[in-house]
C-alpha cells in the first residue's frame, strides 16, 4: 500500500489526534494534570535523561498540548513543534535557543508592534541586539548581517499594514549566510502560506489569532522545519555543544532534524517556563479543525469589505494586498493566492477625530486590541495602542491619526459593510 | 530501492521482523546517541548486542560487549551502525561475511553509503540509511508525538497495547487514509 499524504483539511482534523489509547475518547481529552506517574525508577531516569519519550510535568510536555503541537507541525510541514503560553513566549524561546549575549537578529521593520517592542527593548537586557531591515527590500537584510547575526526574522504577512515580504529572496540570503530564517506566520496561517516551502527554517505563530480563531485562548507555537544545520558553524552552542544541563549531551547530534524543537523545550520552556495550559491547547486545537473553512471566509469577507471601503467617499486609502491596485498584490498572488488575510488598515478622511468617531459608533465591530476572531474587530491605533507616541512616530509606525485597523470576522459580509457605512455616516464631513 | 525516502510499511516491517540487533559503535557514555538508542530498544524488548572494541568483554546496560561482529556467538537479525558514512562500508562487508547473513543493515541518522548499500542489497539484505530506529519506532507507535514531533501518521483507530517482544507502546497505525 502506498503512503498517501493526507490533504490540509484532513490534517487540520486528524494530525496528532488518534483516539485516546486508554478510554477510546475520540476527541483528544484535556489532560488537566500537573504531573505524570513514572512506571518505575528506571523509567523516571530515562525520561529525565531524554532517553525515552514520555511525560513528566506539564511545564515540559502534556498529552493535550502534544496533540496540538503535532497538528501544527503537520500543517506547516515541519518536523516537530513546541506550544507556548503566547506568541510572544514562542518568540522568546525560539531566539533564546539561538542567541548568546552580543549576538544580533536582523528583523524586518514591518512587524506587529508588540514584537518590535520585544526585540527593541526586552531583548536588549539579554544582550541581544536587533537590526531593522526594510521589509520590502531583501538587499537591506544582506547589508546588516555580520558574524554575530544569528537569525533573520520576518512576518510573512505583517500586522497591521498588510505588507508581504519576498520569502524566497530573503530565504536565499539566509541560506547563503548560513543563518536560520525565522518567519512569524500568524496572520497568514499555514492555510494561506507554508513558509517552510519557501525556505523558512523556523515558523512561529501566535495561536491566539486565526489558528485558535475564536478569541478565547492565548497560545503560541514554534515549528521546527528540520532544515537548518545547527552544527555547521559552531555558532549555535545550545544545539551543537555538550549541554551541562544534560551531562554533556549534544542535542543536534542526538535529535537530528527536530533538535531545535527539543532545545526550545528542554532548555527554554523547561527553564523559562511559559507553558500553555492544557485547556487552551484543547480550545485552540478545536479551532484548528475548521481553519481551512474559516480562513477562506475571513479572506473572502475581507476582500469585499476592502473593495467597498476603497470606493467609499469618507475613505482616503485602503491598504489590502488582495486589491489589484495594492503594491503587494503581486506577492500575494505568489505566496498566498487563496487570500490576503483578513487584517488590514485604511485611512479615514477627517483624521484623528474621524477615527475616534468611527470606532465609537460601530455596532457590530468590536472595539478592542486583538485580531483573528470569528467576530469582526476594529481599532484606531492613534488613540489606543500608539497613543503615547508623537504624531511623527505614529506615522512612521503606520499608526497615523487617520489609520483604522480592521480584523474581518465570519459574519455576513453585508452586515459588516452596513455597520461600517452607518458608522462612517456619523463622521462630520 | 530508493533510499531518499522510505514507506512506513517498509520500516514497520523491519521493526516487526527483527529481534536480535548488533549495534556497531554502542557507547558506554550515557549521553551519547548510541547509548540512548541501545537503552530504548532494550526497553522495547529487542535483544541488543553492543559492539565496541574498546569495551569488549565489559557490559553496557547489562549486555555483554563484543569487539567485532564476527565475535557474536548467535545469529544477528539486524546490524545497526553508528559509524561515519565511509567507515560504514567496511562494517557492511563484515556483516556480509556473517553466517547466517543478517536480514537488515541499518545506518543511523546522517550515515549514508550507497555503494555499500548496493552490495548488501545484492546479497538480499534490506537496507535503511540516514534514519534512527528509536525515532522510527517512536514515530510509528505514535509515542514520539508525546514530544510534539510530527509522526506523519494519522489514524481513527484506538491504539491498543501490543503483545509480544516488540511491545510497541501503541498498536501499528496501519489504517492510513
Ligand atoms: C503577528 C503577531 N505575532 C505575534 C503576536 C504576539 O502574540 P501573543 O499576543 O499571542 O503573545 C501577535 C499578537 O498580536 C501578532 O499579531
Amino acid at each position: 500500500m502506498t503512503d498517501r499524504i493526507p490533504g490540509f483539511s484532513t490534517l487540520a482534523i486528524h494530525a496528532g489526534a488518534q483516539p485516546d489509547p486508554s478510554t477510546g475518547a475520540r476527541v483528544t481529552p484535556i489532560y488537566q494534570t500537573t504531573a505524570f506517574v513514572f512506571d518505575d525508577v528506571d523509567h523516571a531516569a530515562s525520561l529525565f535523561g531524554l532517553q525515552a519519550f514520555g511525560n513528566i510535568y506539564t511545564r515540559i510536555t502534556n498529552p493535550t498540548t502534544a496533540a496540538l503541537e503535532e497538528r501544527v507541525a503537520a500543517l506547516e510541514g515541519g518536523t516537530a513543534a513546541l506550544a507556548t503560553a503566547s506568541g510572544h513566549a514562542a518568540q522568546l524561546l525560539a531566539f533564546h535557543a539561538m542567541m548568546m549575549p552580543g549576538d544580533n537578529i536582523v528583523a524586518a521593520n514591518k512587524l506587529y508592534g508588540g514584537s518590535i517592542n520585544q526585540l527593541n527593548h526586552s531583548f536588549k537586557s539579554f544582550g541581544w541586539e536587533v537590526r531593522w531591515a526594510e521589509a520590502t527590500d531583501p538587499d537591506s537584510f544582506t547589508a546588516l548581517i555580520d558574524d554575530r547575526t544569528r537569525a533573520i526574522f520576518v512576518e510573512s504577512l505583517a500586522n497591521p499594514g498588510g505588507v508581504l515580504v519576498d520569502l524566497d529572496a530573503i530565504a536565499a540570503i539566509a541560506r547563503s549566510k548560513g543563518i536560520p530564517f525565522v518567519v512569524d506566520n500568524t496572520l497568514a496561517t499555514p492555510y494561506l502560506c507554508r513558509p517552510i516551502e519557501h525556505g523558512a527554517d523556523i515558523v512561529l505563530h501566535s495561536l491566539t489569532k486565526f489558528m485558535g480563531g475564536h478569541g478565547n485562548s492565548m497560545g503560541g507555537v514554534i515549528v521546527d522545519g528540520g532544515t537548518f544545520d545547527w552544527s555547521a558553524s559552531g555558532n549555535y552552542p545550545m544545539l551543537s555543544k555538550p549541554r551541562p544541563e544534560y551531562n554533556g549531551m549534544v542535542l543536534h547530534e542526538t535529535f537530528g532534524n527536530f533538535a531545535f524543537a527539543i532545545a526550545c523545550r528542554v532548555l527554554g520552556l523547561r527553564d523559562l517556563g511559559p507553558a500553555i495550559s492544557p485547556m487552551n491547547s484543547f480550545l485552540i486545537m478545536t479551532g484548528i479543525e475548521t481553519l481551512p473553512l474559516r480562513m477562506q471566509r475571513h479572506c473572502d469577507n475581507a476582500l469585499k469589505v476592502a473593495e467597498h471601503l476603497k470606493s467609499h467617499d469618507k475613505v482616503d486609502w485602503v491598504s489590502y494586498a488582495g486589491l489589484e491596485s495594492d503594491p503587494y498584490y503581486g506577492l500575494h498572488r505568489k505566496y498566498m493566492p487563496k487570500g490576503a488575510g483578513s487584517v488590514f488598515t485604511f485611512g479615514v478622511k477627517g483624521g484623528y477625530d474621524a477615527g475616534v468617531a468611527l470606532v465609537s459608533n460601530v455596532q457590530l465591530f468590536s472595539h478592542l486590541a486583538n485580531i483573528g476572531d470569528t467576530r469582526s474587530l476594529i481599532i484606531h491605533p492613534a488613540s489606543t495602542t500608539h497613543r503615547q507616541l508623537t504624531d511623527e512616530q505614529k506615522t512612521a509606525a503606520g499608526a497615523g491619526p487617520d489609520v483604522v485597523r480592521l480584523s474581518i470576522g465570519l459574519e455576513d459580509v453585508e452586515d459588516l459593510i452596513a455597520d461600517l457605512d452607518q458608522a462612517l455616516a456619523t463622521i462630520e464631513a | 530501492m530508493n533510499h531518499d525516502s522510505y514507506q512506513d510499511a517498509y520500516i514497520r516491517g523491519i521493526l516487526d521482523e527483527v529481534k536480535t540487533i548488533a549495534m556497531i559503535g554502542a557507547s558506554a557514555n550515557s549521553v551519547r546517541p548510541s547509548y540512548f538508542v541501545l537503552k530504548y530498544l532494550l526497553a522495547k524488548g529487542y535483544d541488543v548486542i553492543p559492539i565496541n572494541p574498546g569495551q569488549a568483554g565489559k557490559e553496557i546496560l547489562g549486555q555483554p560487549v563484543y569487539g567485532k561482529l564476527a565475535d557474536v556467538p548467535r545469529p544477528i537479525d539486524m546490524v545497526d551502525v553508528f559509524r561515519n558514512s565511509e567507515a560504514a562500508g567496511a562494517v557492511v562487508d563484515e556483516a556480509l561475511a556473517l553466517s547466517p547473513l543478517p536480514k537488515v543493515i541499518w545506518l543511523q541518522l546522517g550515515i549514508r553509503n550507497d555503494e555499500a548499500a548496493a552490495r548488501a542489497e545484492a546479497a538480499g539484505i534490506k537496507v535503511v540509511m540516514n534514519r534512527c530506529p528509536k525515532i522510527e519506532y517512536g514515530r510509528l507507535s505514535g509515542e514520539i508525538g508525546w514530544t510534539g514531533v510530527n509522526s506523519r501518521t494519522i489514524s481513527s483507530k484506538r491504539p491498543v497495547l501490543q503483545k509480544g517482544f516488540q511491545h510497541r507502546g501503541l498498536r501499528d497505525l496501519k489504517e492510513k487514509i
Side-chain angles (χ1 to χ4, degrees):
Chain A
M1 192 179 80
T2 58
D3 288 348
R4 189 182 151 81
I5 298 171
F8 189 88
S9 299
T10 304
L11 291 175
I13 294 166
H14 288 278
Q18 244 195 302
D20 184 60
S22 48
T23 61
R26 185 60 194 93
V27 172
T28 301
I30 306 167
Y31 287 95
Q32 193 71 29
T33 180
T34 311
F36 301 82
V37 292
F38 306 117
D39 297 348
D40 52 41
V41 173
D42 193 47
H43 177 229
S46 293
L47 288 174
F48 278 106
L50 305 182
Q51 292 151 343
F53 307 112
N55 298 298
I56 299 174
Y57 192 62
T58 286
R59 170 151 43 74
I60 308 167
T61 61
N62 174 279
T64 311
T65 299
L68 168 67
E69 291 165 337
E70 185 173 352
R71 184 165 302 173
V72 180
L75 292 175
E76 285 288 5
T79 52
L82 169 73
T84 56
S86 68
H88 268 8
Q91 292 163 207
L92 170 64
L93 296 189
F95 290 118
H96 173 258
M98 299 175 192
M99 311 278 296
M100 299 298 282
D103 290 342
N104 67 71
I105 304 167
V106 173
N109 60 354
K110 298 291 187 303
L111 294 182
Y112 161 58
S115 299
I116 292 181
N117 277 335
Q118 186 189 49
L119 271 67
N120 259 342
H121 305 299
S122 297
F123 283 4
K124 202 181 274 172
S125 4
F126 303 151
W128 307 343
E129 184 200 341
V130 58
R131 301 176 175 189
W132 298 107
E134 175 49 52
T136 54
D137 174 14
D139 290 339
S140 72
F141 288 80
T142 313
L144 294 171
I145 293 170
D146 66 13
D147 61 355
R148 296 303 298 270
T149 302
R150 294 293 174 262
I152 293 181
F153 182 48
V154 305
E155 287 176 12
S156 51
L157 174 59
N159 178 11
V163 174
L164 277 89
V165 298
D166 191 343
L167 294 173
D168 290 339
I170 301 173
I173 294 166
R175 212 172 310 122
S176 76
K177 299 284 185 180
I179 53 181
F181 183 31
V182 184
V183 177
D184 179 333
N185 200 31
T186 299
L187 264 66
T189 82
Y191 173 72
L192 295 179
C193 176
R194 296 175 14 124
I196 293 169
E197 290 169 2
H198 296 289
D201 298 296
I202 306 296
V203 175
L204 306 179
H205 281 275
S206 167
L207 297 175
T208 316
K209 316 298 178 187
F210 295 95
M211 294 290 271
H214 294 71
N216 58 21
S217 306
M218 299 296 299
V221 75
I222 299 166
V223 181
D224 188 344
T227 41
F228 191 75
D229 183 344
W230 302 101
S231 303
S233 66
N235 286 336
Y236 301 92
M238 295 268 233
L239 287 117
S240 68
K241 300 267 158 55
R243 292 310 304 180
E245 299 92 326
Y246 289 98
N247 294 325
M249 184 193 303
V250 178
L251 292 179
H252 187 209
E253 175 184 71
T254 308
F255 294 102
N257 69 0
F258 57 93
F260 187 77
I262 295 284
C264 291
R265 186 184 302 281
V266 304
L267 304 178
L269 188 61
R270 188 196 72 159
D271 293 354
L272 300 171
I276 189 170
S277 101
M279 180 73 193
N280 282 17
S281 295
F282 175 85
L283 289 167
I284 291 168
M285 206 165 13
T286 305
I288 290 175
E289 293 185 1
T290 55
L291 176 68
L293 296 171
R294 286 187 294 103
M295 211 53 207
Q296 192 60 58
R297 174 70 92 88
H298 275 298
C299 294
D300 295 348
N301 277 359
L303 181 59
K304 286 184 190 140
V305 173
E307 279 167 347
H308 177 78
L309 289 175
K310 195 159 189 295
S311 57
H312 199 289
D313 61 3
K314 294 263 175 71
V315 172
D316 240 348
W317 52 267
V318 177
S319 169
Y320 182 60
L323 297 172
E324 266 179 65
S325 55
D326 193 86
Y328 301 105
Y329 183 76
L331 288 173
H332 147 57
R333 296 305 304 164
K334 176 170 183 193
Y335 289 113
M336 39 192 86
K338 289 200 284 274
S342 102
V343 176
F344 67 93
T345 52
F346 68 97
V348 58
K349 283 183 187 160
Y352 188 93
D353 293 340
V356 170
L358 176 61
V359 297
S360 307
N361 290 320
V362 286
Q363 303 294 332
L364 194 54
F365 278 78
S366 302
H367 178 208
L368 54 74
N370 190 23
I371 55 170
D373 194 333
T374 53
R375 282 152 279 268
S376 290
L377 314 175
I378 188 167
I379 196 161
H380 178 227
S383 60
T384 54
T385 50
H386 291 65
R387 194 186 185 100
Q388 75 286 5
L389 303 183
T390 64
D391 277 356
E392 294 78 66
Q393 286 174 322
K394 282 178 187 153
T395 306
D402 62 333
V403 177
V404 174
R405 182 185 77 188
L406 301 179
S407 171
I408 301 299
L410 304 178
E411 301 95 334
D412 288 301
V413 69
E414 298 76 15
D415 295 331
L416 298 177
I417 289 173
D419 189 38
L420 290 172
D421 279 352
Q422 68 77 24
L424 284 165
T426 64
I427 298 170
E428 317 262 319
Chain B
M1 179 82 203
N2 170 16
H3 291 286
D4 294 326
S5 71
Y6 299 104
Q7 294 200 348
D8 288 348
Y10 178 70
I11 301 287
R12 187 185 295 118
I14 287 172
L15 292 173
D16 282 348
E17 174 188 21
V18 305
K19 176 163 172 64
T20 307
I21 302 174
M23 183 180 286
I24 313 288
S27 174
N29 177 344
S30 68
V31 299
R32 301 297 303 155
S34 59
Y35 184 95
F36 273 46
V37 177
L38 176 61
K39 186 168 184 183
Y40 185 83
L41 294 177
L42 284 172
K44 296 301 173 197
Y46 291 96
D47 170 20
V48 192
I49 305 165
I51 312 281
N52 179 340
Q55 298 285 326
K58 300 184 191 159
E59 287 189 352
I60 302 176
L61 288 164
Q63 310 305 306
V65 184
Y66 294 91
K68 54 183 193 298
L69 268 180
D71 295 345
V72 178
R74 53 188 190 277
I76 296 166
D77 296 327
M78 173 164 123
V79 179
D80 182 21
V81 184
F82 279 88
R83 300 289 304 275
N84 65 36
S85 298
E86 217 188 302
V91 176
V92 168
D93 292 329
E94 281 180 51
L96 286 171
L98 292 173
S99 176
L101 283 175
K103 300 182 186 112
V104 179
I105 295 178
W106 187 306
L107 308 189
Q108 281 285 334
L109 267 183
I111 308 174
R112 178 152 180 174
N113 185 325
D114 286 297
E115 295 78 45
R119 290 199 295 281
E121 284 171 338
I125 296 174
K126 288 182 193 156
V127 176
V128 178
M129 297 192 282
N130 191 25
R131 291 287 184 284
C132 171
K134 175 186 175 191
I135 291 172
E136 294 304 308
Y137 190 108
R139 196 172 69 74
L140 294 170
S141 67
E143 235 184 66
I144 205 169
W146 297 342
T147 319
V149 173
N150 184 1
S151 68
R152 289 180 281 115
T153 57
I154 59 175
S155 170
S156 62
K157 295 286 181 263
R158 177 175 174 178
V160 292
L161 293 176
Q162 185 164 285
K163 298 270 188 318
F165 73 87
Q166 290 118 332
H167 56 113
R168 192 172 299 163
L170 307 177
R171 188 179 60 185
D172 279 358
L173 307 180
K174 288 220 172 73
E175 247 60 48
K176 297 183 62 76
I177 58 168

